[in-house]
PDB file of all heavy atoms in Angstrom:
ATOM      1  N   LEU U 132       0.821  -1.201   0.000  1.00  0.00           N
ATOM      2  CA  LEU U 132       0.000   0.000   0.000  1.00  0.00           C
ATOM      3  C   LEU U 132       0.859   1.257   0.000  1.00  0.00           C
ATOM      4  O   LEU U 132       1.969   1.257   0.525  1.00  0.00           O
ATOM      5  CB  LEU U 132      -0.912   0.031   1.233  1.00  0.00           C
ATOM      6  CG  LEU U 132      -1.910  -1.107   1.396  1.00  0.00           C
ATOM      7  CD1 LEU U 132      -2.725  -0.902   2.665  1.00  0.00           C
ATOM      8  CD2 LEU U 132      -2.827  -1.204   0.191  1.00  0.00           C
ATOM      9  N   SER U 133       0.328   2.292  -0.565  1.00  0.00           N
ATOM     10  CA  SER U 133       0.906   3.625  -0.457  1.00  0.00           C
ATOM     11  C   SER U 133      -0.180   4.542   0.098  1.00  0.00           C
ATOM     12  O   SER U 133      -1.360   4.189   0.122  1.00  0.00           O
ATOM     13  CB  SER U 133       1.391   4.127  -1.820  1.00  0.00           C
ATOM     14  OG  SER U 133       0.333   4.106  -2.768  1.00  0.00           O
ATOM     15  N   LYS U 134       0.210   5.687   0.565  1.00  0.00           N
ATOM     16  CA  LYS U 134      -0.723   6.621   1.212  1.00  0.00           C
ATOM     17  C   LYS U 134      -1.916   6.912   0.304  1.00  0.00           C
ATOM     18  O   LYS U 134      -1.758   7.263  -0.863  1.00  0.00           O
ATOM     19  CB  LYS U 134       0.014   7.913   1.553  1.00  0.00           C
ATOM     20  CG  LYS U 134      -0.814   8.915   2.353  1.00  0.00           C
ATOM     21  CD  LYS U 134       0.046  10.086   2.760  1.00  0.00           C
ATOM     22  CE  LYS U 134      -0.727  11.097   3.574  1.00  0.00           C
ATOM     23  NZ  LYS U 134       0.128  12.226   4.037  1.00  0.00           N
ATOM     24  N   GLY U 135      -3.118   6.734   0.838  1.00  0.00           N
ATOM     25  CA  GLY U 135      -4.343   7.015   0.103  1.00  0.00           C
ATOM     26  C   GLY U 135      -4.931   5.825  -0.639  1.00  0.00           C
ATOM     27  O   GLY U 135      -6.082   5.876  -1.074  1.00  0.00           O
ATOM     28  N   ARG U 136      -4.170   4.747  -0.761  1.00  0.00           N
ATOM     29  CA  ARG U 136      -4.682   3.600  -1.520  1.00  0.00           C
ATOM     30  C   ARG U 136      -5.718   2.825  -0.698  1.00  0.00           C
ATOM     31  O   ARG U 136      -5.571   2.646   0.512  1.00  0.00           O
ATOM     32  CB  ARG U 136      -3.547   2.650  -1.907  1.00  0.00           C
ATOM     33  CG  ARG U 136      -4.028   1.505  -2.791  1.00  0.00           C
ATOM     34  CD  ARG U 136      -2.912   0.616  -3.280  1.00  0.00           C
ATOM     35  NE  ARG U 136      -3.446  -0.470  -4.101  1.00  0.00           N
ATOM     36  CZ  ARG U 136      -2.725  -1.471  -4.591  1.00  0.00           C
ATOM     37  NH1 ARG U 136      -1.425  -1.513  -4.366  1.00  0.00           N
ATOM     38  NH2 ARG U 136      -3.297  -2.416  -5.312  1.00  0.00           N
ATOM     39  N   GLN U 137      -6.752   2.348  -1.388  1.00  0.00           N
ATOM     40  CA  GLN U 137      -7.807   1.559  -0.769  1.00  0.00           C
ATOM     41  C   GLN U 137      -7.839   0.175  -1.402  1.00  0.00           C
ATOM     42  O   GLN U 137      -7.721   0.042  -2.612  1.00  0.00           O
ATOM     43  CB  GLN U 137      -9.175   2.225  -0.955  1.00  0.00           C
ATOM     44  CG  GLN U 137      -9.287   3.610  -0.330  1.00  0.00           C
ATOM     45  CD  GLN U 137     -10.648   4.231  -0.570  1.00  0.00           C
ATOM     46  OE1 GLN U 137     -11.359   3.867  -1.489  1.00  0.00           O
ATOM     47  NE2 GLN U 137     -11.011   5.184   0.281  1.00  0.00           N
ATOM     48  N   VAL U 138      -8.002  -0.849  -0.547  1.00  0.00           N
ATOM     49  CA  VAL U 138      -8.071  -2.226  -1.031  1.00  0.00           C
ATOM     50  C   VAL U 138      -9.232  -2.931  -0.337  1.00  0.00           C
ATOM     51  O   VAL U 138      -9.330  -2.899   0.899  1.00  0.00           O
ATOM     52  CB  VAL U 138      -6.760  -2.991  -0.769  1.00  0.00           C
ATOM     53  CG1 VAL U 138      -6.911  -4.462  -1.168  1.00  0.00           C
ATOM     54  CG2 VAL U 138      -5.604  -2.362  -1.540  1.00  0.00           C
ATOM     55  N   SER U 139     -10.105  -3.559  -1.110  1.00  0.00           N
ATOM     56  CA  SER U 139     -11.196  -4.341  -0.528  1.00  0.00           C
ATOM     57  C   SER U 139     -10.660  -5.673  -0.017  1.00  0.00           C
ATOM     58  O   SER U 139      -9.829  -6.304  -0.669  1.00  0.00           O
ATOM     59  CB  SER U 139     -12.289  -4.578  -1.572  1.00  0.00           C
ATOM     60  OG  SER U 139     -12.938  -3.371  -1.903  1.00  0.00           O
ATOM     61  N   LEU U 140     -11.144  -6.069   1.138  1.00  0.00           N
ATOM     62  CA  LEU U 140     -10.734  -7.328   1.745  1.00  0.00           C
ATOM     63  C   LEU U 140     -11.721  -8.435   1.358  1.00  0.00           C
ATOM     64  O   LEU U 140     -12.791  -8.166   0.813  1.00  0.00           O
ATOM     65  CB  LEU U 140     -10.669  -7.173   3.262  1.00  0.00           C
ATOM     66  CG  LEU U 140      -9.664  -6.116   3.741  1.00  0.00           C
ATOM     67  CD1 LEU U 140      -9.845  -5.838   5.220  1.00  0.00           C
ATOM     68  CD2 LEU U 140      -8.238  -6.556   3.461  1.00  0.00           C
ATOM     69  N   THR U 141     -11.340  -9.660   1.637  1.00  0.00           N
ATOM     70  CA  THR U 141     -12.171 -10.803   1.290  1.00  0.00           C
ATOM     71  C   THR U 141     -13.516 -10.722   2.001  1.00  0.00           C
ATOM     72  O   THR U 141     -13.580 -10.450   3.206  1.00  0.00           O
ATOM     73  CB  THR U 141     -11.462 -12.116   1.677  1.00  0.00           C
ATOM     74  OG1 THR U 141     -10.193 -12.160   1.014  1.00  0.00           O
ATOM     75  CG2 THR U 141     -12.288 -13.320   1.264  1.00  0.00           C
ATOM     76  N   LYS U 142     -14.581 -10.957   1.286  1.00  0.00           N
ATOM     77  CA  LYS U 142     -15.922 -10.895   1.861  1.00  0.00           C
ATOM     78  C   LYS U 142     -16.131 -12.056   2.830  1.00  0.00           C
ATOM     79  O   LYS U 142     -15.675 -13.169   2.606  1.00  0.00           O
ATOM     80  CB  LYS U 142     -16.973 -10.946   0.752  1.00  0.00           C
ATOM     81  CG  LYS U 142     -18.391 -10.702   1.222  1.00  0.00           C
ATOM     82  CD  LYS U 142     -19.348 -10.619   0.055  1.00  0.00           C
ATOM     83  CE  LYS U 142     -20.760 -10.309   0.513  1.00  0.00           C
ATOM     84  NZ  LYS U 142     -21.710 -10.185  -0.629  1.00  0.00           N
ATOM     85  N   GLY U 143     -16.810 -11.777   3.946  1.00  0.00           N
ATOM     86  CA  GLY U 143     -17.148 -12.826   4.897  1.00  0.00           C
ATOM     87  C   GLY U 143     -16.022 -13.260   5.806  1.00  0.00           C
ATOM     88  O   GLY U 143     -16.022 -14.394   6.295  1.00  0.00           O
ATOM     89  N   LEU U 144     -15.069 -12.392   6.085  1.00  0.00           N
ATOM     90  CA  LEU U 144     -13.953 -12.742   6.969  1.00  0.00           C
ATOM     91  C   LEU U 144     -14.453 -13.074   8.377  1.00  0.00           C
ATOM     92  O   LEU U 144     -15.357 -12.423   8.902  1.00  0.00           O
ATOM     93  CB  LEU U 144     -12.974 -11.576   7.071  1.00  0.00           C
ATOM     94  CG  LEU U 144     -12.105 -11.264   5.849  1.00  0.00           C
ATOM     95  CD1 LEU U 144     -11.343  -9.973   6.088  1.00  0.00           C
ATOM     96  CD2 LEU U 144     -11.146 -12.400   5.568  1.00  0.00           C
ATOM     97  N   SER U 145     -13.835 -14.075   8.986  1.00  0.00           N
ATOM     98  CA  SER U 145     -14.165 -14.397  10.372  1.00  0.00           C
ATOM     99  C   SER U 145     -13.307 -13.585  11.336  1.00  0.00           C
ATOM    100  O   SER U 145     -13.730 -13.288  12.461  1.00  0.00           O
ATOM    101  CB  SER U 145     -13.989 -15.893  10.639  1.00  0.00           C
ATOM    102  OG  SER U 145     -12.638 -16.277  10.415  1.00  0.00           O
ATOM    103  N   SER U 146     -12.098 -13.221  10.913  1.00  0.00           N
ATOM    104  CA  SER U 146     -11.237 -12.397  11.760  1.00  0.00           C
ATOM    105  C   SER U 146     -10.212 -11.663  10.904  1.00  0.00           C
ATOM    106  O   SER U 146      -9.906 -12.065   9.785  1.00  0.00           O
ATOM    107  CB  SER U 146     -10.513 -13.248  12.813  1.00  0.00           C
ATOM    108  OG  SER U 146      -9.558 -14.096  12.207  1.00  0.00           O
ATOM    109  N   LEU U 147      -9.705 -10.597  11.486  1.00  0.00           N
ATOM    110  CA  LEU U 147      -8.709  -9.765  10.816  1.00  0.00           C
ATOM    111  C   LEU U 147      -7.695  -9.348  11.869  1.00  0.00           C
ATOM    112  O   LEU U 147      -8.069  -8.931  12.968  1.00  0.00           O
ATOM    113  CB  LEU U 147      -9.398  -8.532  10.222  1.00  0.00           C
ATOM    114  CG  LEU U 147      -8.661  -7.732   9.158  1.00  0.00           C
ATOM    115  CD1 LEU U 147      -8.576  -8.530   7.866  1.00  0.00           C
ATOM    116  CD2 LEU U 147      -9.401  -6.426   8.896  1.00  0.00           C
ATOM    117  N   ARG U 148      -6.412  -9.496  11.564  1.00  0.00           N
ATOM    118  CA  ARG U 148      -5.365  -9.073  12.499  1.00  0.00           C
ATOM    119  C   ARG U 148      -4.600  -7.907  11.891  1.00  0.00           C
ATOM    120  O   ARG U 148      -4.118  -7.983  10.766  1.00  0.00           O
ATOM    121  CB  ARG U 148      -4.413 -10.235  12.797  1.00  0.00           C
ATOM    122  CG  ARG U 148      -3.253  -9.853  13.719  1.00  0.00           C
ATOM    123  CD  ARG U 148      -2.597 -11.093  14.332  1.00  0.00           C
ATOM    124  NE  ARG U 148      -2.041 -11.981  13.325  1.00  0.00           N
ATOM    125  CZ  ARG U 148      -0.758 -12.008  12.968  1.00  0.00           C
ATOM    126  NH1 ARG U 148       0.101 -11.158  13.521  1.00  0.00           N
ATOM    127  NH2 ARG U 148      -0.329 -12.875  12.068  1.00  0.00           N
ATOM    128  N   VAL U 149      -4.514  -6.824  12.653  1.00  0.00           N
ATOM    129  CA  VAL U 149      -3.777  -5.639  12.218  1.00  0.00           C
ATOM    130  C   VAL U 149      -2.574  -5.473  13.131  1.00  0.00           C
ATOM    131  O   VAL U 149      -2.713  -5.310  14.345  1.00  0.00           O
ATOM    132  CB  VAL U 149      -4.666  -4.379  12.258  1.00  0.00           C
ATOM    133  CG1 VAL U 149      -3.862  -3.146  11.834  1.00  0.00           C
ATOM    134  CG2 VAL U 149      -5.892  -4.555  11.357  1.00  0.00           C
ATOM    135  N   SER U 150      -1.388  -5.535  12.552  1.00  0.00           N
ATOM    136  CA  SER U 150      -0.140  -5.471  13.302  1.00  0.00           C
ATOM    137  C   SER U 150       0.614  -4.196  12.936  1.00  0.00           C
ATOM    138  O   SER U 150       0.696  -3.829  11.764  1.00  0.00           O
ATOM    139  CB  SER U 150       0.712  -6.708  12.982  1.00  0.00           C
ATOM    140  OG  SER U 150       2.006  -6.586  13.533  1.00  0.00           O
ATOM    141  N   VAL U 151       1.163  -3.530  13.950  1.00  0.00           N
ATOM    142  CA  VAL U 151       1.975  -2.334  13.744  1.00  0.00           C
ATOM    143  C   VAL U 151       3.372  -2.622  14.285  1.00  0.00           C
ATOM    144  O   VAL U 151       3.524  -3.016  15.439  1.00  0.00           O
ATOM    145  CB  VAL U 151       1.376  -1.110  14.457  1.00  0.00           C
ATOM    146  CG1 VAL U 151       2.202   0.143  14.136  1.00  0.00           C
ATOM    147  CG2 VAL U 151      -0.072  -0.911  14.082  1.00  0.00           C
ATOM    148  N   GLU U 152       4.384  -2.437  13.450  1.00  0.00           N
ATOM    149  CA  GLU U 152       5.752  -2.754  13.847  1.00  0.00           C
ATOM    150  C   GLU U 152       6.661  -1.552  13.593  1.00  0.00           C
ATOM    151  O   GLU U 152       6.431  -0.766  12.673  1.00  0.00           O
ATOM    152  CB  GLU U 152       6.264  -3.959  13.048  1.00  0.00           C
ATOM    153  CG  GLU U 152       5.417  -5.218  13.231  1.00  0.00           C
ATOM    154  CD  GLU U 152       5.820  -6.338  12.291  1.00  0.00           C
ATOM    155  OE1 GLU U 152       6.817  -6.161  11.558  1.00  0.00           O
ATOM    156  OE2 GLU U 152       5.135  -7.371  12.281  1.00  0.00           O
ATOM    157  N   TRP U 153       7.697  -1.429  14.399  1.00  0.00           N
ATOM    158  CA  TRP U 153       8.662  -0.346  14.245  1.00  0.00           C
ATOM    159  C   TRP U 153       9.975  -0.735  14.915  1.00  0.00           C
ATOM    160  O   TRP U 153      10.042  -1.690  15.680  1.00  0.00           O
ATOM    161  CB  TRP U 153       8.119   0.946  14.866  1.00  0.00           C
ATOM    162  CG  TRP U 153       7.957   0.857  16.347  1.00  0.00           C
ATOM    163  CD1 TRP U 153       8.885   1.107  17.312  1.00  0.00           C
ATOM    164  CD2 TRP U 153       6.772   0.464  17.052  1.00  0.00           C
ATOM    165  NE1 TRP U 153       8.372   0.894  18.563  1.00  0.00           N
ATOM    166  CE2 TRP U 153       7.072   0.504  18.428  1.00  0.00           C
ATOM    167  CE3 TRP U 153       5.492   0.092  16.640  1.00  0.00           C
ATOM    168  CZ2 TRP U 153       6.138   0.172  19.392  1.00  0.00           C
ATOM    169  CZ3 TRP U 153       4.561  -0.234  17.614  1.00  0.00           C
ATOM    170  CH2 TRP U 153       4.881  -0.192  18.955  1.00  0.00           C
ATOM    171  N   LYS U 154      11.005   0.050  14.632  1.00  0.00           N
ATOM    172  CA  LYS U 154      12.304  -0.115  15.271  1.00  0.00           C
ATOM    173  C   LYS U 154      12.808   1.266  15.684  1.00  0.00           C
ATOM    174  O   LYS U 154      12.481   2.269  15.050  1.00  0.00           O
ATOM    175  CB  LYS U 154      13.317  -0.762  14.313  1.00  0.00           C
ATOM    176  CG  LYS U 154      12.966  -2.189  13.911  1.00  0.00           C
ATOM    177  CD  LYS U 154      14.000  -2.725  12.934  1.00  0.00           C
ATOM    178  CE  LYS U 154      13.642  -4.140  12.486  1.00  0.00           C
ATOM    179  NZ  LYS U 154      14.623  -4.671  11.505  1.00  0.00           N
ATOM    180  N   PRO U 155      13.623   1.336  16.734  1.00  0.00           N
ATOM    181  CA  PRO U 155      14.197   2.629  17.121  1.00  0.00           C
ATOM    182  C   PRO U 155      15.125   3.157  16.025  1.00  0.00           C
ATOM    183  O   PRO U 155      15.872   2.395  15.404  1.00  0.00           O
ATOM    184  CB  PRO U 155      14.989   2.300  18.392  1.00  0.00           C
ATOM    185  CG  PRO U 155      14.428   1.011  18.887  1.00  0.00           C
ATOM    186  CD  PRO U 155      13.994   0.261  17.679  1.00  0.00           C
ATOM    187  N   ASN U 156      15.079   4.446  15.797  1.00  0.00           N
ATOM    188  CA  ASN U 156      15.969   5.095  14.848  1.00  0.00           C
ATOM    189  C   ASN U 156      17.193   5.601  15.614  1.00  0.00           C
ATOM    190  O   ASN U 156      17.149   6.641  16.262  1.00  0.00           O
ATOM    191  CB  ASN U 156      15.254   6.252  14.148  1.00  0.00           C
ATOM    192  CG  ASN U 156      16.156   6.979  13.177  1.00  0.00           C
ATOM    193  OD1 ASN U 156      17.258   6.509  12.853  1.00  0.00           O
ATOM    194  ND2 ASN U 156      15.708   8.128  12.694  1.00  0.00           N
ATOM    195  N   THR U 157      18.270   4.861  15.554  1.00  0.00           N
ATOM    196  CA  THR U 157      19.460   5.198  16.342  1.00  0.00           C
ATOM    197  C   THR U 157      20.167   6.450  15.837  1.00  0.00           C
ATOM    198  O   THR U 157      21.035   6.992  16.514  1.00  0.00           O
ATOM    199  CB  THR U 157      20.460   4.027  16.337  1.00  0.00           C
ATOM    200  OG1 THR U 157      20.795   3.697  14.974  1.00  0.00           O
ATOM    201  CG2 THR U 157      19.852   2.808  17.010  1.00  0.00           C
ATOM    202  N   ARG U 158      19.758   6.929  14.654  1.00  0.00           N
ATOM    203  CA  ARG U 158      20.387   8.133  14.104  1.00  0.00           C
ATOM    204  C   ARG U 158      19.617   9.402  14.446  1.00  0.00           C
ATOM    205  O   ARG U 158      20.040  10.499  14.100  1.00  0.00           O
ATOM    206  CB  ARG U 158      20.502   8.010  12.577  1.00  0.00           C
ATOM    207  CG  ARG U 158      21.442   6.891  12.138  1.00  0.00           C
ATOM    208  CD  ARG U 158      21.609   6.886  10.637  1.00  0.00           C
ATOM    209  NE  ARG U 158      22.550   5.852  10.203  1.00  0.00           N
ATOM    210  CZ  ARG U 158      22.924   5.668   8.947  1.00  0.00           C
ATOM    211  NH1 ARG U 158      22.415   6.437   7.978  1.00  0.00           N
ATOM    212  NH2 ARG U 158      23.788   4.708   8.645  1.00  0.00           N
ATOM    213  N   ALA U 159      18.496   9.259  15.118  1.00  0.00           N
ATOM    214  CA  ALA U 159      17.711  10.434  15.490  1.00  0.00           C
ATOM    215  C   ALA U 159      18.475  11.284  16.499  1.00  0.00           C
ATOM    216  O   ALA U 159      19.299  10.779  17.266  1.00  0.00           O
ATOM    217  CB  ALA U 159      16.372  10.008  16.073  1.00  0.00           C
ATOM    218  N   ARG U 160      18.152  12.565  16.524  1.00  0.00           N
ATOM    219  CA  ARG U 160      18.887  13.513  17.356  1.00  0.00           C
ATOM    220  C   ARG U 160      18.833  13.132  18.842  1.00  0.00           C
ATOM    221  O   ARG U 160      19.815  13.242  19.551  1.00  0.00           O
ATOM    222  CB  ARG U 160      18.305  14.925  17.159  1.00  0.00           C
ATOM    223  CG  ARG U 160      18.975  16.005  17.993  1.00  0.00           C
ATOM    224  CD  ARG U 160      18.465  17.384  17.594  1.00  0.00           C
ATOM    225  NE  ARG U 160      17.021  17.439  17.644  1.00  0.00           N
ATOM    226  CZ  ARG U 160      16.334  17.713  18.751  1.00  0.00           C
ATOM    227  NH1 ARG U 160      16.969  17.951  19.880  1.00  0.00           N
ATOM    228  NH2 ARG U 160      15.019  17.777  18.727  1.00  0.00           N
ATOM    229  N   ASN U 161      17.679  12.691  19.332  1.00  0.00           N
ATOM    230  CA  ASN U 161      17.550  12.318  20.742  1.00  0.00           C
ATOM    231  C   ASN U 161      17.257  10.831  20.869  1.00  0.00           C
ATOM    232  O   ASN U 161      16.421  10.405  21.671  1.00  0.00           O
ATOM    233  CB  ASN U 161      16.462  13.143  21.426  1.00  0.00           C
ATOM    234  CG  ASN U 161      15.154  13.128  20.635  1.00  0.00           C
ATOM    235  OD1 ASN U 161      15.098  12.605  19.530  1.00  0.00           O
ATOM    236  ND2 ASN U 161      14.116  13.696  21.212  1.00  0.00           N
ATOM    237  N   SER U 162      17.982  10.031  20.088  1.00  0.00           N
ATOM    238  CA  SER U 162      17.735   8.587  20.046  1.00  0.00           C
ATOM    239  C   SER U 162      18.085   7.878  21.354  1.00  0.00           C
ATOM    240  O   SER U 162      17.707   6.741  21.558  1.00  0.00           O
ATOM    241  CB  SER U 162      18.521   7.944  18.895  1.00  0.00           C
ATOM    242  OG  SER U 162      19.909   8.146  19.062  1.00  0.00           O
TER     243      SER U 162
END
């Protein structure tokens, strides 16, 4: 996906898992 894109999901889903992942940015000014 890119910002603004919409995608239809499979009809009749029993469950959906939404995961958010990240890592620390060691190069940030106050990392």
Side-chain angles (χ1 to χ4, degrees):
L132 300 180
S133 56
K134 186 174 181 177
R136 185 175 179 185
Q137 299 179 338
V138 175
S139 292
L140 299 169
T141 303
K142 188 174 183 178
L144 288 173
S145 61
S146 69
L147 197 70
R148 177 162 61 98
V149 179
S150 171
V151 184
E152 301 172 5
W153 66 87
K154 295 178 182 179
N156 179 11
T157 57
R158 295 185 178 183
R160 179 172 53 86
N161 50 354
S162 60

